[in-house]
Amino acid sequence: MKDFHTLEDLDLKEKTVLLRVDINCPLDKGTLQIINDSRIRRIVPTVRELMGKKAKVVILAHQSRKGKWDFIPMEQHSKRLSEHLNHCVQYVNDIIGNDAKERIRSLSAGDVLMLENVRGLECETLKLDMNGHADSELVNELVPFIDYYICDAFGAAHRSQCSLVGFPVKVRSASGRLMAKEIYALRSIFGEPRRPSVFVLGGAKFGDVSPMIDHVLGSNTADTVILTGLAGNAFLSARGVDLGPGSMEFLKEEMTPENVNAAKDMMTRYGQRILLPADVAVERNGKRVNVRVGDLPVPEAALDIGDDSIEKFGKVLTSSRTSFMSGPAGLYEKEGFGKGTKELMMAMTESKGQSVIGGGHTIGAADMFDMTDGFSYVSTAGGALETFLLGKELPAVEALRYSFKKF
């Protein structure tokens, strides 16, 4: 059942729309130039639809945050968006001052204006709830100049910030096309998965893995969880496997008593529903070498899952009806050690079910292997996806639901 407005619910012709997007892009540290604009490209359908419906579009976005080296103005982003739209995106070095207000007032139907980096405002990052943010300077200053608020910033949806949760309290609000696609895709994975449902959790972070496992297996969202990457190595270590000094060097910060005990608890509670690697791949004399878990420890670091694990996990994924991957299986950027990630992804795309990947490194791997188009859905979200995995509410989505009820 629909619980938030989407674009077709709004009469947009000649109306002023404030569009919050997430176009936070990776930059070159030397030149401060955008090196990957995929997030900008993904908002193009929403912006183009608003233009086609003769709305006056005001874009609000952020790049990094104060104090970070990549905290820069949004002018470069506006130029990139102009190129992808083949339409001039105006830019103003202001957010709530007279310059911004005059430019908003002067917009014609179909015009697009990008405001300055919203994280330049102190009120944006205050720790407040939805109602607290609704009374922020940003919301109070801009609400008189807009007819609707549209959120297309799923990548930032886990943050309770005034540009994300304040406006829906004061003005009729809706999701953009990217936001709606993300919500519906993840709801289908987490809410009504087709069986069997298999989750692959890998990557370099271990601390959040146990709560994620507990949520997806405890709620029966997943039937099976496959652990790869540092998560798989950490669970092997928690099970009592001596991996050797090379692998433990990578894990030393993560293997706190709390994390180890949580991993042991998950293995006790869920048993064979958690699949761990049967072997790992190490680099020895410049070559990939498989080492069975029973033959550990070895001095070299485990840089990927081994070939037996790839075959075992691949069969599970090929027979799945729902598969989800967050985090690569190993050091995929290193030649010879992207095999686990690539072949598990191939198994997902070859299954007859729905396949979804998410998270920056996972998408980076899929792009490198030219496999992105093979998945049912690719989620751009990082923190928002982790929040979903942990079974927590997303503040920006909750704000849209509030607006749906109120307006």
Side-chain angles (χ1 to χ4, degrees):
M1 187 175 71
K2 190 170 180 178
D3 58 357
F4 57 89
H5 290 299
T6 50
L7 297 188
E8 58 270 15
D9 298 317
L10 307 180
D11 176 15
L12 294 163
K13 188 175 182 180
E14 298 188 2
K15 296 293 197 301
T16 302
V17 169
L18 183 66
L19 174 65
R20 175 60 161 106
V21 296
D22 180 9
I23 50 175
N24 188 25
C25 296
L27 308 180
D28 180 278
K29 200 163 188 175
T31 64
L32 296 183
Q33 295 298 301
I34 294 171
I35 55 177
N36 184 324
D37 65 1
S38 60
R39 284 189 167 182
I40 295 175
R41 285 183 270 118
R42 288 178 77 100
I43 67 162
V44 166
T46 296
V47 179
R48 190 164 275 151
E49 183 173 346
L50 293 171
M51 290 166 54
K53 292 183 176 180
K54 303 300 182 185
K56 304 170 187 180
V57 185
V58 181
I59 296 178
L60 197 56
H62 72 276
Q63 172 66 40
S64 190
R65 64 178 184 270
K66 279 186 177 180
K68 302 274 280 186
W69 67 268
D70 54 348
F71 178 72
I72 65 168
M74 305 304 296
E75 185 171 15
Q76 190 181 160
H77 300 68
S78 69
K79 290 177 180 177
R80 284 292 185 100
L81 182 57
S82 297
E83 293 169 8
H84 292 304
L85 288 170
N86 196 26
H87 178 91
C88 175
V89 175
Q90 303 172 41
Y91 168 76
V92 60
N93 183 22
D94 189 20
I95 306 170
I96 56 174
N98 289 332
D99 287 350
K101 291 171 182 175
E102 284 302 317
R103 294 289 290 275
I104 293 170
R105 258 197 216 101
S106 66
L107 290 175
S108 300
D111 283 352
V112 183
L113 170 69
M114 187 174 292
L115 304 181
E116 188 48 286
N117 192 332
V118 70
R119 288 192 179 163
L121 296 176
E122 296 296 332
C123 61
E124 172 68 357
T125 51
L126 293 177
K127 296 190 182 303
L128 299 170
D129 63 11
M130 182 168 60
N131 290 311
H133 280 307
D135 285 327
S136 69
E137 184 182 27
L138 173 67
V139 175
N140 287 331
E141 292 291 334
L142 290 186
V143 159
F145 294 85
I146 65 173
D147 297 296
Y148 301 120
Y149 169 81
I150 294 172
C151 188
D152 215 22
F154 186 82
H158 58 300
R159 302 194 183 279
S160 179
Q161 296 180 338
C162 58
S163 68
L164 293 157
V165 304
F167 289 98
V169 178
K170 297 282 186 74
V171 64
R172 193 176 187 197
S173 302
S175 73
R177 294 305 185 198
L178 177 60
M179 182 87 161
K181 279 174 69 176
E182 292 270 9
I183 293 170
Y184 290 138
L186 294 178
R187 280 183 178 177
S188 71
I189 288 286
F190 289 87
E192 299 174 354
R194 289 179 282 174
R195 308 290 176 179
S197 170
V198 181
F199 277 46
V200 183
L201 303 179
K205 290 182 181 178
F206 167 52
D208 283 339
V209 169
S210 291
M212 288 176 184
I213 292 171
D214 197 27
H215 174 64
V216 300
L217 290 181
S219 65
N220 285 319
T221 299
D223 299 301
T224 303
V225 168
I226 293 171
L227 293 182
T228 64
L230 288 192
N233 293 346
F235 267 65
L236 286 173
S237 178
R239 200 179 73 184
V241 175
D242 182 358
L243 299 168
S247 296
M248 292 310 296
E249 179 65 23
F250 282 102
L251 291 172
K252 62 183 180 182
E253 292 182 10
E254 297 277 352
M255 298 302 286
T256 64
E258 293 81 6
N259 286 346
V260 171
N261 288 334
K264 289 178 178 177
D265 181 43
M266 291 303 100
M267 289 185 282
T268 300
R269 192 179 305 180
Y270 297 111
Q272 294 182 344
R273 294 177 68 190
I274 300 173
L275 302 184
L276 301 182
D279 58 350
V280 298
V282 303
E283 184 176 36
R284 188 174 293 165
N285 300 322
K287 295 182 179 179
R288 175 188 170 101
V289 175
N290 295 301
V291 181
R292 293 195 58 78
V293 167
D295 295 328
L296 293 169
V298 293
E300 304 92 347
L303 301 180
D304 194 10
I305 56 174
D307 291 0
D308 286 350
S309 301
I310 292 170
E311 183 180 1
K312 171 186 168 186
F313 296 160
K315 288 178 180 177
V316 175
L317 288 166
T318 303
S319 62
S320 69
R321 297 299 304 279
T322 299
S323 60
F324 174 84
M325 178 186 285
S326 177
L331 196 64
Y332 71 90
E333 307 96 326
K334 186 175 178 64
E335 187 175 355
F337 294 91
K339 183 177 182 179
T341 305
K342 183 177 182 179
E343 296 205 14
L344 295 192
M345 286 184 170
M346 287 176 61
M348 290 173 67
T349 60
E350 289 168 2
S351 74
K352 295 180 180 178
Q354 185 179 32
S355 57
V356 177
I357 61 170
H361 292 296
T362 317
I363 296 170
D367 285 343
M368 191 175 101
F369 301 137
D370 196 24
M371 296 179 66
T372 310
D373 293 341
F375 296 96
S376 307
Y377 191 71
V378 175
S379 173
T380 57
L385 182 59
E386 287 181 17
T387 302
F388 233 106
L389 275 166
L390 291 166
K392 298 177 181 176
E393 298 290 353
L394 298 171
V397 177
E398 288 300 291
L400 289 178
R401 293 172 65 189
Y402 175 90
S403 184
F404 180 81
K405 292 175 184 175
K406 182 173 180 178
F407 298 98

